[in-house]
Amino acid sequence: MDVELEVQKCSRCERDSLVHQPYSGLHLCGVHLAESVRKRISKSLRKQLILPKNSINSLGRPFKVLIAISGGKDSAILLHFLHDILGSRRDVELIAGVVDEGIEGYRSPSMDCAQELCSSLGIPLERISYPDLSFPEMDDVVESLPKISESNLEARGMMPCSFCGVFRRQGLNSLANRVGADIMALGHNLDDVAQSVLMNLQKGEVDRTVRLAPHTTIPIDGLAPRIVPLRWIPEQEIHAVAIHLNLPIHHGDCPHAGGAMRQRSRDIIATIEKDIPGSRHGLVQSMDRIRELAANSENGTTVQSCERCGEPTSRPICQSCTMKEWFE
Ligand code: SF4
Ligand SMILES: [Zn+2]
Ligand SMILES: [Zn+2]
């Protein structure tokens, strides 16, 4: 059977198209996609990161942005464009941070990619591992999971990612403290955010929805402010731009990712986006609206301090301290 593949042209130039955006109707080549991604990141940054003309503080030091990277495509794009957009400002300092989860065969090659990218951009890279934070490595978590679920009711049915998410968050907070970061940038893309919105709403966790990053316009007490400049960029476009720009990225999947609730949510989001292009944008816009309403209402979310570690939490003992106890 002869299949004739017609290559679409870019809507802006004569080059072949690299991606189709069903939600906008555009076809874009690598150059124009990269330009469009940069524009959207700049726009998000202007909303989420309001910097004065001179951000040198009273101690004479620049405004520090910790950029959480992993060696994957999203954070590579984040680092590349933040460097592109903010890199020439003398009053802003960019520092990259990576958390080593202790996953054999996965973390080491992605760490190499992260290091390569940082070196090429001249950005310092800070590392922290789970044992540095008194947590077990993820490979050990997975091994002891059956035992832990046996003796702790709350841990029953928990997936490796539930632990990893809590530990990584602590790792990033700790890196932010170490470097004295004024703000932290995370590489969550449009698909990630839409998945999180869906999962939180599915579980009735509106408070969590309200607490999702970005934290700059609706600051939440006690949490290091986080910005998410890629929140309007679909994963597929990030991937295409990372390849187009030839960024060093690790393509492997984490061996512990299987079966996660996120994976199911990913499939659902992909399906509804295919049926009704623009659904992901709609979910994130709904979240923003809920946040606005919550910010205007008097009984906003209450954050207290953990009795053991002092980290902000919605219960007396925070989840990471609870988990630490399970492994002791
Ligand atoms: S997939 Fe899960 S276990 Fe693996 S690195 Fe991500 S959060 Fe951690
Ligand atoms: Zn083009
Ligand atoms: Zn705690």
Side-chain angles (χ1 to χ4, degrees):
M1 187 173 70
D2 278 343
V3 181
E4 218 173 285
L5 281 176
E6 195 194 331
V7 179
Q8 286 279 352
K9 290 283 172 205
C10 174
S11 309
R12 304 246 159 90
C13 74
E14 283 305 304
R15 279 183 284 258
D16 288 345
S17 144
L18 192 59
V19 298
H20 173 44
Q21 293 178 327
Y23 61 89
S24 73
L26 293 177
H27 291 270
L28 294 172
C29 70
V31 174
H32 284 108
L33 178 64
E35 192 183 287
S36 148
V37 165
R38 187 189 191 278
K39 255 191 209 154
R40 276 175 279 167
I41 295 176
S42 285
K43 193 173 166 197
S44 293
L45 267 182
R46 279 197 300 277
K47 279 207 179 136
Q48 297 177 31
L49 183 61
I50 296 149
L51 288 174
K53 260 211 166 103
N54 184 353
S55 300
I56 302 278
N57 69 11
S58 55
L59 299 172
R61 76 169 182 78
F63 185 90
K64 289 192 185 183
V65 184
L66 176 71
I67 305 166
I69 64 167
S70 67
K73 62 185 186 327
D74 302 294
S75 55
I77 285 288
L78 179 70
L79 193 68
H80 172 87
F81 282 107
L82 288 193
H83 176 260
D84 186 23
I85 295 165
L86 297 170
S88 60
R89 283 186 67 152
R90 296 182 154 237
D91 58 336
V92 177
E93 186 180 341
L94 303 179
I95 305 156
V98 66
V99 179
D100 184 346
E101 300 96 345
I103 300 169
E104 174 82 29
Y106 168 67
R107 194 26 101 203
S108 160
S110 55
M111 204 70 103
D112 292 345
C113 291
Q115 184 60 66
E116 191 186 332
L117 182 62
C118 288
S119 303
S120 73
L121 298 173
I123 295 176
L125 176 63
E126 293 281 332
R127 300 159 188 246
I128 199 163
S129 72
Y130 285 175
D132 292 339
L133 298 151
S134 313
F135 292 123
E137 297 198 317
M138 270 318 284
D139 287 341
D140 295 333
V141 170
V142 172
E143 208 184 297
S144 22
L145 211 49
K147 234 194 200 159
I148 283 169
S149 321
E150 232 169 69
S151 43
N152 298 281
L153 208 62
E154 205 193 330
R156 225 156 271 177
M158 272 196 176
M159 292 307 207
C161 299
S162 310
F163 294 88
C164 202
V166 172
F167 298 175
R168 187 187 298 115
R169 209 178 107 88
Q170 291 282 315
L172 290 174
N173 282 343
S174 174
L175 280 178
N177 282 339
R178 190 200 285 173
V179 304
D182 293 295
I183 206 155
M184 191 193 301
L186 304 175
H188 301 162
N189 61 45
L190 176 62
D191 296 67
D192 296 330
V193 183
Q195 288 155 20
S196 298
V197 173
L198 179 71
M199 288 190 292
N200 289 340
L201 293 182
Q202 213 173 341
K203 290 185 277 181
E205 294 179 334
V206 176
D207 279 13
R208 261 176 181 247
T209 307
V210 173
R211 287 204 304 267
L212 285 174
H215 297 157
T216 37
T217 46
I218 308 174
I220 293 177
D221 289 345
L223 291 175
R226 281 145 201 251
I227 56 169
V228 277
L230 308 184
R231 74 198 290 260
W232 295 112
I233 320 226
E235 180 172 5
Q236 183 214 8
E237 295 178 30
I238 288 176
H239 190 223
V241 175
I243 303 281
H244 170 75
L245 295 173
N246 206 12
L247 300 181
I249 50 171
H250 180 57
H251 292 276
D253 283 325
C254 170
H256 308 313
M261 182 175 177
R262 161 106 23 204
Q263 189 54 47
R264 254 176 287 157
S265 180
R266 178 187 301 270
D267 297 341
I268 295 167
I269 294 286
T271 308
I272 56 174
E273 178 67 28
K274 199 164 167 241
D275 286 351
I276 307 165
S279 294
R280 288 170 302 189
H281 290 84
L283 277 166
V284 180
Q285 279 153 359
S286 304
M287 164 177 113
D288 286 352
R289 186 70 190 120
I290 293 172
R291 287 155 63 97
E292 271 170 37
L293 294 172
N296 292 335
S297 84
E298 286 191 353
N299 47 8
T301 50
T302 47
V303 176
Q304 43 182 318
S305 297
C306 168
E307 284 169 14
R308 291 204 189 137
C309 71
E311 289 283 325
T313 170
S314 53
R315 46 197 227 177
I317 309 254
C318 79
Q319 188 143 41
S320 75
C321 285
T322 309
M323 285 175 169
K324 236 177 224 173
E325 199 178 87
W326 293 344
F327 286 98
E328 267 158 16

